[in-house]
Amino acid sequence: MQLLKGFIFGLIGQVFTFFQLQGQIKYEWFKNHPIAVAFMGVPISLLFMYSVRNFVSAYDGQIWPSRLIGFGIGVIVFTIMSYYLFKEPLTPKTLTCLGLGTLIILIQILWK
């Protein structure tokens, strides 16, 4: 259950982070309200803190799995969102990075 909570908080945090950092490129509101967008960092930070807390608990106090899974989630979310919102092509390099991000997550979950 804690592993699932870590994924949920991390996934939501990564989606919000994507909008916070890349939103200014696509949406005028984000570009015109940088202070408001910066304040989005507070709830985003809390999401990542809860994600890490749950991952660390799921892995008996180890911190590396939380970092690596979080990285993998970030790569996957960034790839999907940049593809759908910005029409970024899925080049062989991007697909390789996506595969590596997925592989990192699978290694952390399946390798005991």
Short mmCIF file of all heavy atoms in Angstrom, two decimals, residues 9-25 30 37-38 40-49 70 73-75 77-78 81 85-86:
data_model
loop_
_atom_site.label_atom_id
_atom_site.label_comp_id
_atom_site.label_asym_id
_atom_site.label_seq_id
_atom_site.Cartn_x
_atom_site.Cartn_y
_atom_site.Cartn_z
N PHE A 9 1.44 9.88 -5.17
CA PHE A 9 1.94 11.22 -4.82
C PHE A 9 3.02 11.67 -5.80
O PHE A 9 3.05 12.83 -6.23
CB PHE A 9 2.49 11.25 -3.40
CG PHE A 9 1.44 11.25 -2.33
CD1 PHE A 9 1.47 10.29 -1.32
CD2 PHE A 9 0.43 12.19 -2.31
CE1 PHE A 9 0.51 10.27 -0.32
CE2 PHE A 9 -0.54 12.18 -1.31
CZ PHE A 9 -0.50 11.23 -0.31
N GLY A 10 3.92 10.77 -6.18
CA GLY A 10 4.99 11.11 -7.11
C GLY A 10 4.46 11.45 -8.49
O GLY A 10 4.92 12.40 -9.14
N LEU A 11 3.49 10.69 -8.95
CA LEU A 11 2.90 10.93 -10.26
C LEU A 11 2.20 12.29 -10.31
O LEU A 11 2.41 13.08 -11.24
CB LEU A 11 1.91 9.82 -10.60
CG LEU A 11 1.23 9.89 -11.96
CD1 LEU A 11 2.23 9.67 -13.07
CD2 LEU A 11 0.13 8.84 -12.04
N ILE A 12 1.40 12.57 -9.31
CA ILE A 12 0.71 13.87 -9.26
C ILE A 12 1.73 15.01 -9.17
O ILE A 12 1.61 16.03 -9.86
CB ILE A 12 -0.28 13.92 -8.09
CG1 ILE A 12 -1.41 12.90 -8.30
CG2 ILE A 12 -0.86 15.33 -7.92
CD1 ILE A 12 -2.27 12.67 -7.07
N GLY A 13 2.75 14.84 -8.35
CA GLY A 13 3.80 15.86 -8.22
C GLY A 13 4.51 16.11 -9.54
O GLY A 13 4.78 17.26 -9.90
N GLN A 14 4.80 15.04 -10.28
CA GLN A 14 5.49 15.21 -11.56
C GLN A 14 4.61 15.91 -12.59
O GLN A 14 5.10 16.74 -13.37
CB GLN A 14 5.95 13.85 -12.11
CG GLN A 14 7.09 13.23 -11.33
CD GLN A 14 8.41 13.96 -11.50
OE1 GLN A 14 8.57 14.87 -12.33
NE2 GLN A 14 9.39 13.58 -10.71
N VAL A 15 3.32 15.60 -12.61
CA VAL A 15 2.41 16.27 -13.54
C VAL A 15 2.35 17.77 -13.22
O VAL A 15 2.46 18.61 -14.12
CB VAL A 15 1.00 15.63 -13.49
CG1 VAL A 15 -0.01 16.49 -14.25
CG2 VAL A 15 1.04 14.22 -14.07
N PHE A 16 2.18 18.10 -11.94
CA PHE A 16 2.14 19.51 -11.56
C PHE A 16 3.46 20.22 -11.86
O PHE A 16 3.48 21.37 -12.29
CB PHE A 16 1.78 19.68 -10.09
CG PHE A 16 0.33 19.40 -9.76
CD1 PHE A 16 -0.04 19.13 -8.47
CD2 PHE A 16 -0.64 19.40 -10.73
CE1 PHE A 16 -1.37 18.88 -8.14
CE2 PHE A 16 -1.97 19.14 -10.44
CZ PHE A 16 -2.34 18.89 -9.14
N THR A 17 4.56 19.53 -11.63
CA THR A 17 5.88 20.10 -11.93
C THR A 17 6.02 20.39 -13.41
O THR A 17 6.57 21.42 -13.81
CB THR A 17 7.00 19.17 -11.45
OG1 THR A 17 6.91 19.01 -10.04
CG2 THR A 17 8.37 19.71 -11.81
N PHE A 18 5.53 19.47 -14.24
CA PHE A 18 5.58 19.69 -15.68
C PHE A 18 4.88 20.99 -16.04
O PHE A 18 5.43 21.82 -16.77
CB PHE A 18 4.95 18.52 -16.44
CG PHE A 18 5.06 18.65 -17.93
CD1 PHE A 18 6.15 18.14 -18.60
CD2 PHE A 18 4.08 19.30 -18.66
CE1 PHE A 18 6.27 18.27 -19.98
CE2 PHE A 18 4.18 19.45 -20.03
CZ PHE A 18 5.27 18.93 -20.69
N PHE A 19 3.66 21.19 -15.53
CA PHE A 19 2.94 22.42 -15.82
C PHE A 19 3.63 23.64 -15.24
O PHE A 19 3.68 24.70 -15.87
CB PHE A 19 1.50 22.34 -15.32
CG PHE A 19 0.60 21.55 -16.21
CD1 PHE A 19 0.11 20.32 -15.81
CD2 PHE A 19 0.25 22.01 -17.47
CE1 PHE A 19 -0.72 19.58 -16.63
CE2 PHE A 19 -0.57 21.28 -18.31
CZ PHE A 19 -1.05 20.06 -17.88
N GLN A 20 4.18 23.50 -14.04
CA GLN A 20 4.85 24.63 -13.42
C GLN A 20 6.04 25.09 -14.27
O GLN A 20 6.26 26.28 -14.47
CB GLN A 20 5.33 24.26 -12.01
CG GLN A 20 5.98 25.43 -11.29
CD GLN A 20 6.66 25.02 -10.01
OE1 GLN A 20 7.19 23.91 -9.91
NE2 GLN A 20 6.63 25.89 -9.02
N LEU A 21 6.82 24.16 -14.77
CA LEU A 21 8.04 24.52 -15.49
C LEU A 21 7.85 24.74 -16.99
O LEU A 21 8.48 25.62 -17.57
CB LEU A 21 9.10 23.44 -15.26
CG LEU A 21 9.49 23.21 -13.81
CD1 LEU A 21 10.50 22.08 -13.70
CD2 LEU A 21 10.02 24.48 -13.18
N GLN A 22 6.99 23.96 -17.61
CA GLN A 22 6.79 24.07 -19.06
C GLN A 22 5.52 24.84 -19.43
O GLN A 22 5.32 25.17 -20.59
CB GLN A 22 6.72 22.68 -19.71
CG GLN A 22 8.06 22.06 -20.03
CD GLN A 22 8.87 21.67 -18.81
OE1 GLN A 22 9.95 22.20 -18.65
NE2 GLN A 22 8.39 20.78 -17.98
N GLY A 23 4.66 25.11 -18.46
CA GLY A 23 3.41 25.80 -18.74
C GLY A 23 3.58 27.14 -19.41
O GLY A 23 2.78 27.55 -20.26
N GLN A 24 4.64 27.86 -19.05
CA GLN A 24 4.89 29.19 -19.61
C GLN A 24 5.12 29.15 -21.12
O GLN A 24 4.92 30.15 -21.81
CB GLN A 24 6.08 29.82 -18.92
CG GLN A 24 7.37 29.06 -19.15
CD GLN A 24 8.54 29.66 -18.42
OE1 GLN A 24 8.61 30.88 -18.28
NE2 GLN A 24 9.45 28.83 -17.98
N ILE A 25 5.51 28.02 -21.63
CA ILE A 25 5.78 27.90 -23.06
C ILE A 25 4.48 27.75 -23.85
O ILE A 25 4.36 28.24 -24.96
CB ILE A 25 6.71 26.69 -23.33
CG1 ILE A 25 8.04 26.91 -22.61
CG2 ILE A 25 6.92 26.47 -24.82
CD1 ILE A 25 8.90 25.68 -22.50
N PHE A 30 0.43 31.17 -17.43
CA PHE A 30 1.65 30.77 -16.71
C PHE A 30 2.78 31.76 -16.99
O PHE A 30 3.55 32.08 -16.09
CB PHE A 30 2.09 29.36 -17.14
CG PHE A 30 1.27 28.26 -16.53
CD1 PHE A 30 0.04 27.91 -17.05
CD2 PHE A 30 1.74 27.56 -15.43
CE1 PHE A 30 -0.72 26.90 -16.50
CE2 PHE A 30 0.99 26.54 -14.86
CZ PHE A 30 -0.25 26.21 -15.40
N VAL A 37 2.80 31.04 -10.23
CA VAL A 37 3.32 29.74 -10.65
C VAL A 37 4.40 29.27 -9.68
O VAL A 37 4.46 28.09 -9.33
CB VAL A 37 3.85 29.80 -12.10
CG1 VAL A 37 4.55 28.52 -12.49
CG2 VAL A 37 2.70 30.10 -13.06
N ALA A 38 5.24 30.18 -9.22
CA ALA A 38 6.29 29.81 -8.25
C ALA A 38 5.67 29.29 -6.96
O ALA A 38 6.19 28.35 -6.36
CB ALA A 38 7.20 31.00 -7.97
N MET A 40 3.15 27.55 -6.70
CA MET A 40 2.72 26.17 -6.91
C MET A 40 3.74 25.20 -6.32
O MET A 40 3.44 24.05 -6.04
CB MET A 40 2.56 25.87 -8.40
CG MET A 40 1.40 26.54 -9.07
SD MET A 40 1.41 26.35 -10.89
CE MET A 40 1.43 24.58 -11.09
N GLY A 41 4.94 25.70 -6.10
CA GLY A 41 6.01 24.86 -5.56
C GLY A 41 5.73 24.34 -4.16
O GLY A 41 6.24 23.28 -3.78
N VAL A 42 4.93 25.04 -3.39
CA VAL A 42 4.64 24.59 -2.02
C VAL A 42 3.85 23.28 -2.02
O VAL A 42 4.29 22.29 -1.45
CB VAL A 42 3.95 25.70 -1.20
CG1 VAL A 42 3.52 25.18 0.16
CG2 VAL A 42 4.88 26.89 -1.05
N PRO A 43 2.68 23.22 -2.68
CA PRO A 43 1.98 21.93 -2.68
C PRO A 43 2.73 20.84 -3.45
O PRO A 43 2.66 19.66 -3.08
CB PRO A 43 0.62 22.24 -3.33
CG PRO A 43 0.78 23.55 -4.01
CD PRO A 43 1.88 24.28 -3.30
N ILE A 44 3.47 21.24 -4.48
CA ILE A 44 4.27 20.26 -5.22
C ILE A 44 5.33 19.65 -4.30
O ILE A 44 5.53 18.43 -4.29
CB ILE A 44 4.92 20.90 -6.47
CG1 ILE A 44 3.85 21.25 -7.50
CG2 ILE A 44 5.97 19.99 -7.07
CD1 ILE A 44 4.34 22.10 -8.66
N SER A 45 5.99 20.48 -3.51
CA SER A 45 6.99 19.96 -2.57
C SER A 45 6.37 18.99 -1.58
O SER A 45 6.96 17.96 -1.25
CB SER A 45 7.65 21.12 -1.82
OG SER A 45 8.39 21.91 -2.71
N LEU A 46 5.19 19.32 -1.10
CA LEU A 46 4.51 18.41 -0.16
C LEU A 46 4.19 17.07 -0.82
O LEU A 46 4.35 16.01 -0.19
CB LEU A 46 3.23 19.06 0.38
CG LEU A 46 3.45 20.22 1.34
CD1 LEU A 46 2.14 20.94 1.62
CD2 LEU A 46 4.09 19.73 2.64
N LEU A 47 3.76 17.11 -2.08
CA LEU A 47 3.49 15.85 -2.79
C LEU A 47 4.76 14.99 -2.87
O LEU A 47 4.71 13.78 -2.63
CB LEU A 47 2.95 16.14 -4.19
CG LEU A 47 1.51 16.64 -4.25
CD1 LEU A 47 1.21 17.22 -5.63
CD2 LEU A 47 0.55 15.50 -3.93
N PHE A 48 5.88 15.62 -3.21
CA PHE A 48 7.12 14.86 -3.30
C PHE A 48 7.58 14.36 -1.93
O PHE A 48 8.11 13.26 -1.81
CB PHE A 48 8.22 15.68 -3.98
CG PHE A 48 8.02 15.82 -5.46
CD1 PHE A 48 8.09 17.06 -6.07
CD2 PHE A 48 7.77 14.72 -6.26
CE1 PHE A 48 7.91 17.20 -7.44
CE2 PHE A 48 7.60 14.84 -7.62
CZ PHE A 48 7.66 16.09 -8.22
N MET A 49 7.37 15.17 -0.89
CA MET A 49 7.74 14.72 0.46
C MET A 49 6.92 13.49 0.86
O MET A 49 7.46 12.53 1.41
CB MET A 49 7.54 15.86 1.45
CG MET A 49 8.56 16.97 1.31
SD MET A 49 8.16 18.47 2.24
CE MET A 49 8.12 17.86 3.90
N GLY A 70 11.39 7.79 -8.29
CA GLY A 70 10.95 9.16 -8.60
C GLY A 70 11.52 9.65 -9.92
O GLY A 70 10.81 10.29 -10.71
N ILE A 73 9.61 7.86 -12.73
CA ILE A 73 8.27 8.45 -12.89
C ILE A 73 8.39 9.78 -13.64
O ILE A 73 7.61 10.06 -14.55
CB ILE A 73 7.59 8.65 -11.52
CG1 ILE A 73 7.26 7.31 -10.88
CG2 ILE A 73 6.31 9.48 -11.68
CD1 ILE A 73 6.80 7.43 -9.42
N GLY A 74 9.38 10.58 -13.28
CA GLY A 74 9.58 11.87 -13.93
C GLY A 74 9.85 11.73 -15.42
O GLY A 74 9.31 12.49 -16.24
N VAL A 75 10.68 10.78 -15.80
CA VAL A 75 11.00 10.55 -17.22
C VAL A 75 9.74 10.14 -17.97
O VAL A 75 9.46 10.66 -19.07
CB VAL A 75 12.10 9.48 -17.37
CG1 VAL A 75 12.23 9.02 -18.81
CG2 VAL A 75 13.43 9.98 -16.85
N VAL A 77 6.48 10.62 -17.12
CA VAL A 77 5.50 11.72 -17.16
C VAL A 77 5.95 12.79 -18.17
O VAL A 77 5.14 13.27 -18.97
CB VAL A 77 5.30 12.34 -15.76
CG1 VAL A 77 4.55 13.66 -15.83
CG2 VAL A 77 4.56 11.36 -14.86
N PHE A 78 7.22 13.16 -18.13
CA PHE A 78 7.71 14.19 -19.05
C PHE A 78 7.53 13.75 -20.50
O PHE A 78 7.10 14.53 -21.36
CB PHE A 78 9.17 14.53 -18.77
CG PHE A 78 9.63 15.74 -19.50
CD1 PHE A 78 9.54 17.00 -18.91
CD2 PHE A 78 10.15 15.66 -20.78
CE1 PHE A 78 9.95 18.14 -19.59
CE2 PHE A 78 10.56 16.78 -21.46
CZ PHE A 78 10.46 18.03 -20.88
N MET A 81 3.69 13.79 -21.40
CA MET A 81 3.11 15.14 -21.46
C MET A 81 3.72 15.98 -22.58
O MET A 81 3.00 16.74 -23.23
CB MET A 81 3.25 15.82 -20.11
CG MET A 81 2.42 15.06 -19.07
SD MET A 81 2.01 15.94 -17.59
CE MET A 81 1.07 17.30 -18.15
N LEU A 85 1.07 17.36 -25.21
CA LEU A 85 0.82 18.80 -25.14
C LEU A 85 1.65 19.62 -26.13
O LEU A 85 1.22 20.67 -26.58
CB LEU A 85 1.06 19.31 -23.73
CG LEU A 85 0.07 18.82 -22.67
CD1 LEU A 85 0.47 19.31 -21.29
CD2 LEU A 85 -1.34 19.25 -23.01
N PHE A 86 2.87 19.14 -26.42
CA PHE A 86 3.77 19.91 -27.28
C PHE A 86 4.08 19.22 -28.60
O PHE A 86 4.86 19.72 -29.39
CB PHE A 86 5.08 20.20 -26.54
CG PHE A 86 4.91 21.16 -25.40
CD1 PHE A 86 4.69 20.70 -24.11
CD2 PHE A 86 4.95 22.53 -25.60
CE1 PHE A 86 4.52 21.58 -23.06
CE2 PHE A 86 4.80 23.42 -24.56
CZ PHE A 86 4.57 22.95 -23.28
#
